[in-house]
Amino acid sequence: MSETETAPAPAPGIVTDMEPETQTARKIDDEEEEKIRRQKTLEEALEAQSLRRIISAYLNYAEASEEDLKRWERSYRKLSPAHKALVPHFPMKFQRLRKCVSANSLFIDNMLQAFEPPIDLSQELDGCEDSNLECAPHEKYTLDERHDSSCQPALTNSCTYQEESKHIREPIAGVSIEELQRKEAHDHSPKDHSADTKINNKTCECDGGQLNHDHSSVSFSSHNWLDSSIQTHVPLVDVDKVRCIIRNIVRDWAAEGQRERDQCYKPILEELDSLFPNRQKDSTPPVCLVPGAGLGRLALEISCLGFICQGNEFSYYMMICSSFILNNTEDPGEWTLYPWIHSNCNSLSDNDQLRPIAIPDIHPASAGITEGFSMCGGDFVEVYNESSHAGMWDAVVTCFFIDTAHNIIEYIETISKILKDGGVWINLGPLLYHFADTYGHGNEMSIELSLEDVKRVATHYGFVIEKESTIETTYTTNPRAMMQNRYYTAFWTMRKKCAIATT
């Protein structure tokens, strides 16, 4: 070939010098896809493991309660005959306690039977040996029961969580689990809620800040998720959370909880009523978000006032129970629970300790809710930091919630972001800071601000205080016990005056 001639273009199919680089790039892409696939598989297995543990805690309730009873009986048998003669009714009391445990277990069994897991619970965790996978099940999928101060020892035993699966079951007619459970998985705007009061069977699951709703590929017909082969023995601290849930049921859904609801919920409801006087006349009702909605009563009451209200809850313990009460109860007083039987301390009488509580005190579907009432599962910051929520909410209500944050500043920033200009933030609660005394996790984050600092941070994010006071209240307290833990909670209304640009 002469110097003036050019080399011919390679014919199709002829290997060129670039192909090794292309093969390397493709190999890297394949490896990256495989890594992503394995990471997703691991996360699903961690999610299944976490949910199995929560379900197991509910299922272990009866066994753990029987162990307590046997321990009390052993102590009684150690009494001398003379001392036994002074409390001859104890054996009968133990038998009464067993009947109470059976009633509580019946409620739990029916609740679990109504629950539809969003994932295949038979998945096993086997990928943590790969150092390339960011797997930290004890940090990301460990558990926590928030809200109830009586559960605080569980937190100090390092029983905390960062993330759980978020699922709420199909409700009864009129109790909406909202547009978030439709195919438009990335459209979280509350403005569409009024389009439908009937709910489909999609699940509401939070995964890395996104809401995924379609688990139709998961089949449960071939595997009974309540089968003992996928149940695990859980520590007593997990069962304690089940007992906390039973006490929370009294607070939210029993006539006996009305006093606490009047202390905590009534000031919030009255404030909303006064701030939005024309809501019944508006073509579109105002939209209100309730983060940390727990078992759903406050969100339901706000909906009954004429708001499009969405409750948001992170705890799967709470969500399984609230879904059952909202979606599956048919009559007021349908279930009988015995919430105070697990402690012999500070009882005025055996009858007080063993007294029955009928729930729910109202039929949720007949309460007069506004079309569009919903419950959404997920981490508050992850779910509502989506751009579709920015400036979309007329009101945010937080009740015994803001101190559940690892970083309360992030909570305040998120509330400011999602409120409309002129929107209101109503808060009632203490500053217990549930992660403040968490031991065993060196990297556990907990930012603990004074009330003065909280208000200063709120001012930075565009809030102006319109009203503030101190309200004395209890939380899931046995009203007939000799010990009554009381909070002097901060109650305020803040209005977002302007949008604040953040870095």
Side-chain angles (χ1 to χ4, degrees):
M1 181 182 297
S2 67
E3 295 181 0
T4 58
E5 293 182 78
T6 58
I14 298 177
V15 178
T16 69
D17 292 339
M18 294 296 295
E19 184 157 4
E21 296 182 14
T22 303
Q23 289 178 328
T24 300
R26 288 177 178 172
K27 182 178 180 181
I28 293 174
D29 289 342
D30 290 343
E31 290 176 351
E32 187 65 25
E33 288 181 4
E34 176 64 13
K35 180 180 177 181
I36 293 172
R37 186 195 65 78
R38 295 176 67 191
Q39 182 69 43
K40 183 178 180 181
T41 300
L42 173 62
E43 289 174 353
E44 289 176 352
L46 287 168
E47 186 178 348
Q49 181 187 62
S50 177
L51 183 50
R52 283 201 304 270
R53 180 171 172 176
I54 293 168
I55 292 169
S56 294
Y58 274 114
L59 292 174
N60 288 174
Y61 165 81
E63 180 182 353
S65 299
E66 178 62 23
E67 288 301 313
D68 284 344
L69 278 163
K70 289 178 179 178
R71 176 166 52 85
W72 298 343
E73 288 176 325
R74 286 196 298 269
S75 295
Y76 173 75
R77 288 196 294 269
K78 291 179 181 179
L79 290 175
S80 66
H83 289 175
K84 283 182 181 178
L86 296 175
V87 284
H89 62 285
F90 264 36
M92 181 61 68
K93 177 184 177 180
F94 297 142
Q95 293 308 310
R96 290 177 64 192
L97 283 167
R98 284 188 168 88
K99 292 181 179 179
C100 295
V101 169
S102 295
N104 291 350
S105 298
L106 178 64
F107 173 82
I108 290 171
D109 289 344
N110 279 270
M111 179 185 72
L112 293 178
Q113 289 293 341
F115 174 59
E116 295 178 0
I119 56 174
D120 181 0
L121 295 184
S122 64
Q123 296 178 80
E124 294 297 334
L125 180 65
D126 59 1
C128 276
E129 69 277 5
D130 190 336
S131 61
N132 292 324
L133 295 178
E134 298 176 0
C135 53
H138 298 296
E139 294 180 8
K140 192 174 183 182
Y141 287 87
T142 47
L143 314 175
D144 165 42
E145 188 45 64
R146 307 170 307 171
H147 304 103
D148 189 348
S149 62
S150 61
C151 298
Q152 191 65 13
L155 299 177
T156 58
N157 282 319
S158 303
C159 195
T160 61
Y161 69 77
Q162 299 284 338
E163 181 176 338
E164 295 174 359
S165 172
K166 316 298 185 280
H167 169 262
I168 295 183
R169 179 184 150 79
E170 179 183 2
I172 32 183
V175 183
S176 169
I177 303 296
E178 50 112 82
E179 295 290 317
L180 287 177
Q181 295 184 326
R182 298 188 170 190
K183 266 190 167 182
E184 296 80 13
H186 300 294
D187 181 10
H188 310 305
S189 170
K191 62 187 177 183
D192 294 326
H193 290 176
S194 60
D196 191 6
T197 58
K198 305 274 185 182
I199 303 308
N200 57 35
N201 250 337
K202 302 292 184 181
T203 62
C204 183
E205 177 196 359
C206 181
D207 181 11
Q210 301 294 326
L211 288 178
N212 304 315
H213 312 287
D214 192 353
H215 288 279
S216 57
S217 61
V218 178
S219 173
F220 303 103
S221 59
S222 61
H223 194 101
N224 182 357
W225 65 273
L226 284 174
D227 189 273
S228 60
S229 64
I230 63 171
Q231 301 309 314
T232 59
H233 182 75
V234 296
L236 183 59
V237 69
D238 285 13
V239 182
D240 281 342
K241 295 173 189 175
V242 175
R243 296 169 180 172
C244 287
I245 293 296
I246 294 174
R247 293 195 294 273
N248 271 273
I249 294 174
V250 177
R251 172 182 169 86
D252 262 19
W253 295 105
E256 187 163 319
Q258 187 65 54
R259 181 180 177 184
E260 279 194 358
R261 293 197 297 274
D262 285 345
Q263 291 170 348
C264 294
Y265 298 170
K266 189 175 181 180
I268 293 171
L269 296 170
E270 290 176 345
E271 185 70 355
L272 283 170
D273 185 42
S274 66
L275 289 172
F276 297 88
N278 298 318
R279 62 189 180 277
Q280 303 291 356
K281 302 175 183 178
D282 295 340
S283 58
T284 302
V287 288
C288 179
L289 176 66
V290 184
L295 296 183
R297 182 61 177 264
L298 177 57
L300 180 137
E301 296 284 358
I302 293 172
S303 175
C304 291
L305 278 182
F307 291 80
I308 297 175
C309 186
Q310 180 174 99
N312 164 243
E313 179 53 47
F314 185 57
S315 168
Y316 224 139
Y317 285 95
M318 289 280 190
M319 288 192 298
I320 292 173
C321 185
S322 66
S323 176
F324 181 68
I325 293 173
L326 289 170
N327 303 332
N328 296 90
T329 50
E330 299 178 356
D331 299 292
E334 183 175 351
W335 299 97
T336 299
L337 297 177
Y338 297 85
W340 316 118
I341 60 174
H342 298 293
S343 174
N344 295 318
C345 302
N346 294 306
S347 293
L348 294 174
S349 70
D350 287 348
N351 286 336
D352 279 341
Q353 182 188 1
L354 277 65
R355 70 186 186 276
I357 302 294
I359 62 105
D361 62 316
I362 61 172
H363 182 218
S366 305
I369 58 174
T370 301
E371 187 177 15
F373 169 62
S374 59
M375 293 286 285
C376 174
D379 175 83
F380 168 60
V381 173
E382 289 185 359
V383 173
Y384 294 94
N385 258 334
E386 292 292 320
S387 59
S388 58
H389 281 289
M392 294 304 301
W393 297 87
D394 295 293
V396 173
V397 167
T398 52
C399 184
F400 276 76
F401 172 70
I402 61 174
D403 58 352
T404 65
H406 285 280
N407 179 3
I408 190 173
I409 299 173
E410 191 174 36
Y411 271 18
I412 298 170
E413 180 183 25
T414 302
I415 293 170
S416 175
K417 178 180 177 181
I418 66 177
L419 275 173
K420 299 175 181 178
D421 287 349
V424 293
W425 172 23
I426 302 173
N427 174 77
L428 187 148
L431 294 174
L432 181 62
Y433 292 116
H434 292 211
F435 296 99
D437 299 320
T438 300
Y439 304 111
H441 290 290
N443 295 323
E444 195 75 76
M445 181 183 186
S446 183
I447 303 299
E448 298 128 24
L449 304 185
S450 67
L451 179 58
E452 184 180 77
D453 285 339
V454 169
K455 291 189 285 188
R456 184 164 48 245
V457 170
T459 299
H460 170 77
Y461 286 105
F463 287 106
V464 176
I465 298 176
E466 293 190 341
K467 181 184 294 186
E468 61 178 325
S469 63
T470 299
I471 291 180
E472 183 179 353
T473 182
T474 57
Y475 196 101
T476 66
T477 296
N478 181 352
R480 299 189 195 177
M482 297 171 67
M483 185 179 75
Q484 303 279 328
N485 289 324
R486 307 196 70 80
Y487 292 96
Y488 294 88
T489 63
F491 176 59
W492 68 65
T493 297
M494 296 188 187
R495 190 174 297 274
K496 178 185 171 183
K497 288 296 184 182
C498 60
I500 296 296
T502 59
T503 56

